[in-house]
Structure formats: structure tokens, C-alpha cells
Amino acid sequence: MHTTLSSRSRTVVIGHDQPFCVIGERINPTGRKTFAEELRGGDLSTVTVDALAQVQAGADMLDVNAGIPLVDESELLAGMLRTVAAATDVPICIDSSVIEALEAGLAVYEGKALVNSVTGEDERLEEILPLVARHGAAVIALANDETGIPETAQQRLEIARKIVSAAGDYGIGPEDVVIDPLAMTVGAATDAVTITLETISLIREELGVNMCLGASNVSFGLPRRHQLGSAFLPMAMAAGLTSAIMSCAEEVVNSVRAADLLLGHDEWGARWIAEHRERQAKAAAAS
């Protein structure tokens, strides 16, 4: 099953037979006080810097979040999306919990966007799915609902099943529903990752849809976070994960590209070898 997303000039396909889709997480003011103050003052220069840096580091798409208290999020998000689109050609994941901001973002976006996100709560489904359908977008759907975050993989599967069915009622096919199986920090629960991996496997088997999660959540609050991400993502890929909103640190991206090769998603190692040669050329040019 393929989820096809696009910018004005570039298309990205997410699928179990495709290279893993790296979605850069950096354009988000959460936990970034200086960046948040810049955005509050209308300064979008860091948006451009972060967009270019993540694409250079290997991002296939970029997540864009404008969630700052006491600002017009609709206006800010639209401005950030225009800025990213002017700086790069990669498709964008429009990230907001505010319906009006999502509407404004989708209105200015040129291409087929990925909306982040909806949950299994009836009210959220009724608010967001018609918006996604109207704009011909795809949507990330978190496997939680009114009861909170399910403790078991089977419960998460059932919520995912509900969301895929609800999306179909609005004319959104399963190929445009990307399930988030929920990555929780292993620092708070030692079985957090094993439950996530089990959920990924179940959803792959039962629903066959693509999946995306916030990979950095796994290492939250722990030291050497990039190493944990580098270990976790290949495990999740082997279980059936097809994309992630994640750090574009070299160590993490390299582990994903290596896993692509080893899992047979990079035919004859073409991407692995091309990126190696590009790094060699850059090193030679710099010396």
C-alpha cells in the first residue's frame, strides 16, 4: 500500500516496499525558547535554516509546527509553510491541533500534504477527517482515544481499525491514513518499546496501512538519545514502520539508510553507495 505525498515539484511515496520516509522534526517551537520568541516576533529566518539543514541531512519530508501560546497560529503556520516551500522542494507534514490553523495551512499548501494528526476520539474524527478529505490530503492517525493511551497492542490496533473505517466514511482510502502506533519513553516504562513494536507488527498484519511515529519520544529524558534512536528505528522498520517524524542527526539517519539496504528497500544499495560517494566528494573538495 502506497501513501503518495507531494510538494509543488516533488513526490514522496511511503510504503512497505519503499525506502523509509524520514520526516524532519526540527521546525517546532516546543522546548525551543529562542526559536519560539523569534516566531512570536515574526522572524522566520530560523525556519529557513532548519529546513535547509534537515534536507541536507537526508530528510524526505519536513514536519512544520507553529504551536506557540498567545499567537495567531493560523497566520503563523501559513507563513511558516510558505517559507519552507520557498526554501526546499520536499513535501510537508502540517502539524497542529487547532482546526483553524490546519485549514489555513492546507489552504496555502501547494501539493498533497500530510496532516498531523487525528485521534480515535469521535469529536476529533468529525472535525478533522472532513477537512482532510476536502483538501485531498493524507492524515496521521494516533492510536489513542477518549480513554487515553491504550496499554496493549491489541487495544491500539482496534482504535486504528476504527479510524481507518471512519476515514473511509469520508471518502479517505486506507492508503491515505498513516497510523501512529504510539512511541512512549522507555525511561518511564521498560516495556514501552516492546508494546510499540508489537503494535506495529499487528497493524502491518491486520490492516496493511503505512505507519509513522514520533521516534524521539522513545528516548525522552534519557542520555545519549541519538544512540537510542539509532537502535530503535531499524527494529521498528523490521516490524513494519514505514516513516517517522525524527531527528535528522547523522547517526540516526545513517542507521535508517543502513536498515533500508539490509531490509531490501534500497535495491543494490544504490542510495547507500550514492550518498557515500557524495560524502567522499565533499570531503575531497573541502581538503
Side-chain angles (χ1 to χ4, degrees), residues 10-24:
R10 183 171 170 182
T11 297
V12 167
V13 179
I14 302 175
H16 292 95
D17 60 348
Q18 300 293 309
F20 193 78
C21 182
V22 173
I23 306 174

Side-chain angles (χ1 to χ4, degrees), residues 154 205 229-230 234:
Q154 188 63 43
E205 272 180 42
S230 297

Side-chain angles (χ1 to χ4, degrees), residues 145-156:
D145 59 13
E146 295 90 344
T147 64
I149 296 173
E151 294 183 1
T152 71
Q154 188 63 43
Q155 289 170 322
R156 295 182 191 185

Side-chain angles (χ1 to χ4, degrees), residues 5 14 23 61 92-94 112-116 137-140 178:
L5 304 158
I14 302 175
I23 306 174
M61 293 181 61
I92 295 175
C93 180
I94 303 175
K112 181 177 178 180
L114 180 60
V115 170
N116 186 17
V139 64
I140 295 175
V178 181

Side-chain angles (χ1 to χ4, degrees), residues 110-138:
E110 297 182 59
K112 181 177 178 180
L114 180 60
V115 170
N116 186 17
S117 58
V118 72
T119 66
E121 298 170 74
D122 292 337
E123 182 179 346
R124 293 295 287 174
L125 292 170
E126 291 166 7
E127 288 176 334
I128 294 176
L129 291 181
L131 178 63
V132 171
R134 188 160 65 248
H135 287 273

Side-chain angles (χ1 to χ4, degrees), residues 1-3 112 132-133 137-139 163-178 209:
M1 188 177 298
H2 289 165
T3 303
K112 181 177 178 180
V132 171
V139 64
I163 295 171
V164 171
S165 175
D169 293 340
Y170 290 96
I172 303 168
E175 70 277 6
D176 284 333
V177 181
V178 181
V209 297

